[in-house]
Amino acid sequence: MALLRNISTISTIALTAAVILTASIDQSTADETPTRTELCGKLQVQTQHAITEHAEAKRAAKAKALQKQATRYCAGNKQAQGIRAYAQALKLLGVQPITD
């Protein structure tokens, strides 16, 4: 009888641990995916840094124009368009846009 209780207790502990582990994995996956608003902010910082680094590049003026456009889109609740504009500006400067 004691052996049966020990097995039941161990099974309960293992099941609880599995549930907790699954919940923490799901939460960490959710934490890794930024919202569009967060991505706008990250790309804005990356774009500003890239423009500063590549100020002498031939395409810097076009990148600055795209940055302004992207900022307006992100502020105007059109984050998908803003993200695309930031990505295009970064690509003009030869920089790979962040994706996370």
Side-chain angles (χ1 to χ4, degrees):
M1 192 68 150
L3 179 62
L4 188 56
R5 268 187 274 143
N6 285 342
I7 292 173
S8 176
T9 302
I10 291 171
S11 296
T12 303
I13 291 170
L15 182 59
T16 303
V19 168
I20 290 171
L21 181 61
T22 302
S24 68
I25 289 172
D26 288 343
Q27 182 62 35
S28 68
T29 302
D31 290 344
E32 291 175 8
T33 306
T35 64
R36 286 181 178 173
T37 303
E38 292 169 339
L39 194 52
C40 272
K42 289 179 180 183
L43 286 169
Q44 181 180 18
V45 170
Q46 185 186 16
T47 304
Q48 184 58 47
H49 179 71
I51 288 172
T52 302
E53 290 289 316
H54 300 91
E56 301 300 319
K58 291 180 181 180
R59 298 180 175 159
K62 177 68 175 167
K64 285 180 187 180
L66 284 167
Q67 179 191 29
K68 286 182 181 182
Q69 184 180 35
T71 302
R72 284 193 302 272
Y73 281 138
C74 287
N77 227 10
K78 296 180 180 180
Q79 288 86 4
Q81 290 169 306
I83 290 167
R84 284 192 297 271
Y86 279 129
Q88 189 177 2
L90 288 165
K91 287 179 183 179
L92 281 174
L93 297 172
V95 177
Q96 181 67 32
I98 58 168
T99 56
D100 55 7

